[in-house]
Amino acid sequence: MSTDYSRSLRLGGLAAGVEEATLRERMEATSIHLTADGHLPAAPETLQVLAADLRRWPVRLSLDPGRGLGRLDDELIRKLVDTATEIDPDRPLRIGEAQGKASLHLHVGTAPPLGTAVAGAPDGHGVRLRHTGHAFPRLNTPGTGLGAVLTAAMLAGEAFKVVAGLPEGKFQVTPVVDFCPVFPGEQPGIVIPSLPALEQVLLGGGGAIGTGIALVLDLLQVSGELTVVDKEVFEKPNVTSYSVGTLADAVAGLPKVRLIDARLRRIEVTPFHGTIQASIEAVDAGTLPWPRIVLGGLDSVEARHDLQRFHADLTLDGSTGGPVGTTVALHEALPTGPCLRCYFKVDHTGKSAEQRLHELTGLPLSRIARGQEPLTERDLDCLDAQQRERVRQFLGRPVCGLINSAELTGRTDDGFRPSAAFVAQQAACLVVGAWIARSTGLVSGPPRRIEYDTRFGPRPDQMIDHRLPTPGCVCQKDAGLINRIREARCTRR
């Protein structure tokens, strides 16, 4: 088994403006060295996420466990080695001091050793990041799982700028970063009451953002119940762009909903392996609970519009995108507006993904509609010789996973922007931060849109705007019908 780095390399190549082969050669020659303050609260969790994020690139990776009272626990070291091996068995995490001069030294903690380029520490649900020469303040509260994931993702983002060789003007080095996704305009470490249990919550999408949300919820030790909806299976390219899943999971073709179920150890998960539309039908049939809160991690306008049709009390949509796939955003939506249709307009000028797949493969649209079913030899019967040759390589894979396949399209820029784990995790942190803020009543007021480019970092004074419903949107024209649907679903539960 070999690890597929195509999506990481594609995102890096787009950001740096170089060929993927050139970037791969650069990454393989890059060494990243990690150290940590073993006694710092949430340092082990931060280190686990960071090591996994960096192992998703074809770099040389090493860890110094330290010495004396501050030495990392042997069990933690074993977990770190195992996690790296599960992502890429051919590139193990080396334990010990850096051999020679490392290309980049990252530190988890507030007392970085000499030679550290960037250090980061979770402060409550937030992060404090410092480049060399800039001191940390005293941390306000012990780090949480949300703070750990955000710290790791931002440290990986700093490494990305160096490893990918981003040209001048395509990134910004911010020597001091203090950011909290629960209170984006405030300092990290504000004391927050105990987190509520998940109740009538649904996660739509088990991809890069969805697995990031699952990772954060797990490390926050959240309990409760969660419905997870996704129609696809975990594949080899996902190993280097998702926050959950191993190479062995990809080879097994594990449904993404099962992958998330296995990770959420304290949450009772109801996995729904199917489309958002099918899950809405299940809600109306009474076989799935109606969600009052929806967490979204989807990758198309159409899927987001479907997600809105749950008509939940609150929808928190996370996204990645932008010119090269490094921009993250949160969209807070209400059934009364702004809804996700207000945020995301439909492009009626282009062909649907299903139509494009039909033209590329010859597969009937009726077969493409059964997207979660794996391709079989029987599906090739209606194709001509050239089409059969093109499609045969995908036998055993679900049809829905082929729509953005670079192997199938043969295009290097088809509008598809792959994500990276560190990018998706920052989007996931915005979603979970908003869930904490809204579900505890710590934040009120109109829905927010929060957006920043991970190459430049969060700017609380510039990244937040409040949204109003779009005049003429479905949420305004059909408000009465939406209310009747909500009332019916509420009485059915």
Side-chain angles (χ1 to χ4, degrees):
M1 294 187 296
S2 58
T3 300
D4 185 340
Y5 287 98
S6 58
R7 295 189 181 179
S8 298
L9 292 170
R10 187 173 187 188
L11 181 137
L14 287 169
V18 299
E19 295 292 329
E20 292 171 28
T22 301
L23 179 60
R24 182 172 190 125
E25 184 177 343
R26 175 186 176 91
M27 283 189 167
E28 289 177 341
T30 299
S31 59
I32 301 179
H33 189 58
L34 302 177
T35 52
D37 297 341
H39 62 277
L40 182 75
E45 294 85 352
T46 306
L47 198 55
Q48 289 179 65
V49 178
L50 177 59
D53 284 353
L54 299 177
R55 182 64 292 145
R56 293 182 175 105
W57 305 337
V59 298
R60 304 171 186 172
L61 188 61
S62 61
L63 167 73
D64 186 348
R67 287 156 292 281
L69 295 177
R71 188 181 189 278
L72 298 178
D73 179 79
D74 287 340
E75 179 64 17
L76 172 61
I77 296 170
R78 185 190 63 78
K79 288 181 180 179
L80 294 170
V81 171
D82 289 347
T83 297
T85 301
E86 289 170 345
I87 295 171
D88 188 345
D90 298 325
R91 290 183 170 84
L93 171 65
R94 193 184 63 80
I95 304 300
E97 296 181 359
Q99 293 182 341
K101 182 175 176 57
S103 306
L104 185 67
H105 181 175
L106 303 177
H107 182 76
V108 175
T110 59
L114 189 66
T116 300
V118 191
D123 191 352
H125 291 313
V127 57
R128 295 191 185 273
L129 211 68
R130 298 293 185 271
H131 281 249
T132 183
H134 296 268
F136 280 86
R138 182 175 180 177
L139 301 182
N140 291 320
T141 56
T144 68
L146 174 55
V149 174
L150 184 61
T151 300
M154 288 197 166
L155 281 172
E158 295 303 298
F160 174 75
K161 299 172 186 178
V162 175
V163 171
L166 299 187
E168 187 176 351
K170 298 295 184 181
F171 73 100
Q172 178 176 317
V173 172
T174 306
V176 173
V177 176
D178 297 305
F179 179 64
C180 178
V182 181
F183 301 100
E186 306 292 339
Q187 288 288 307
I190 295 175
V191 177
I192 294 174
S194 299
L195 298 181
L198 295 173
E199 184 178 359
Q200 288 185 262
V201 180
L202 179 142
L203 171 59
I209 297 174
T211 56
I213 291 172
L215 175 67
V216 176
L217 292 176
D218 181 54
L219 293 181
L220 276 173
Q221 300 184 22
V222 173
S223 61
E225 301 175 354
L226 178 69
T227 301
V228 181
V229 180
D230 195 284
K231 65 182 180 180
E232 297 181 348
V233 299
F234 190 68
E235 299 178 314
K236 288 179 69 175
N238 303 142
V239 176
T240 55
S241 55
Y242 288 17
S243 295
V244 173
T246 67
L247 196 55
D249 294 327
V251 172
L254 200 66
K256 294 177 183 178
V257 292
R258 296 292 179 186
L259 199 69
I260 291 176
D261 185 10
R263 179 68 196 221
L264 293 174
R265 294 161 289 186
R266 302 169 186 85
I267 297 173
E268 184 177 339
V269 174
T270 300
F272 187 92
H273 187 207
T275 63
I276 298 295
Q277 170 61 30
S279 67
I280 292 173
E281 293 172 2
V283 167
D284 288 333
T287 56
L288 270 186
W290 177 48
R292 304 303 294 259
I293 297 178
V294 169
L295 312 178
L298 301 167
D299 59 3
S300 74
V301 171
E302 292 81 4
R304 287 185 169 91
H305 289 183
D306 283 345
L307 200 69
Q308 184 64 50
R309 291 193 299 107
F310 280 111
H311 302 308
D313 296 347
L314 176 65
T315 300
L316 302 173
D317 169 76
S319 68
T320 62
V324 297
T326 55
T327 299
V328 298
L330 165 76
H331 309 91
E332 296 183 337
L334 302 175
T336 54
C339 70
L340 291 183
R341 288 180 179 270
C342 296
Y343 286 109
F344 298 96
K345 310 300 182 186
V346 176
D347 180 7
H348 294 289
T349 61
K351 297 177 181 177
S352 70
E354 290 77 10
Q355 184 65 39
R356 286 185 278 115
L357 184 60
H358 166 67
E359 293 177 359
L360 282 166
T361 64
L363 291 168
L365 288 170
S366 59
R367 175 63 183 89
I368 292 171
R370 305 195 315 273
Q372 67 271 26
E373 297 179 12
L375 279 168
T376 67
E377 289 281 355
R378 187 174 180 178
D379 292 316
L380 306 184
D381 292 345
C382 63
L383 308 182
D384 62 33
Q386 184 176 3
Q387 291 169 338
R388 279 197 295 273
E389 182 65 27
R390 168 172 280 190
V391 176
R392 187 178 298 278
Q393 61 180 310
F394 301 108
L395 289 176
R397 288 173 58 176
V399 175
C400 58
L402 307 185
I403 288 175
N404 286 318
S405 173
E407 306 159 86
L408 183 59
T409 62
R411 291 178 288 182
T412 57
D413 189 7
D414 53 10
F416 173 58
R417 292 289 180 259
S419 184
F422 78 90
V423 176
Q425 285 163 4
Q426 293 185 50
C429 287
L430 291 178
V431 171
V432 178
W435 168 71
I436 293 173
R438 295 292 185 177
S439 63
T440 58
L442 293 169
V443 171
S444 58
R448 304 168 297 174
R449 179 177 184 271
I450 302 175
E451 179 180 277
Y452 66 91
D453 192 322
T454 57
R455 295 173 299 166
F456 297 86
R459 293 287 301 273
D461 57 330
Q462 299 178 2
M463 58 183 267
I464 304 171
D465 65 271
H466 296 284
R467 298 298 292 261
L468 297 174
T470 300
C473 181
V474 170
C475 65
Q476 304 303 297
K477 293 190 300 181
D478 297 338
L481 175 61
I482 290 170
N483 281 333
R484 288 196 295 275
I485 293 172
R486 283 170 46 81
E487 289 171 3
R489 289 173 177 170
C490 186
T491 56
R492 187 178 295 116
R493 67 182 178 89

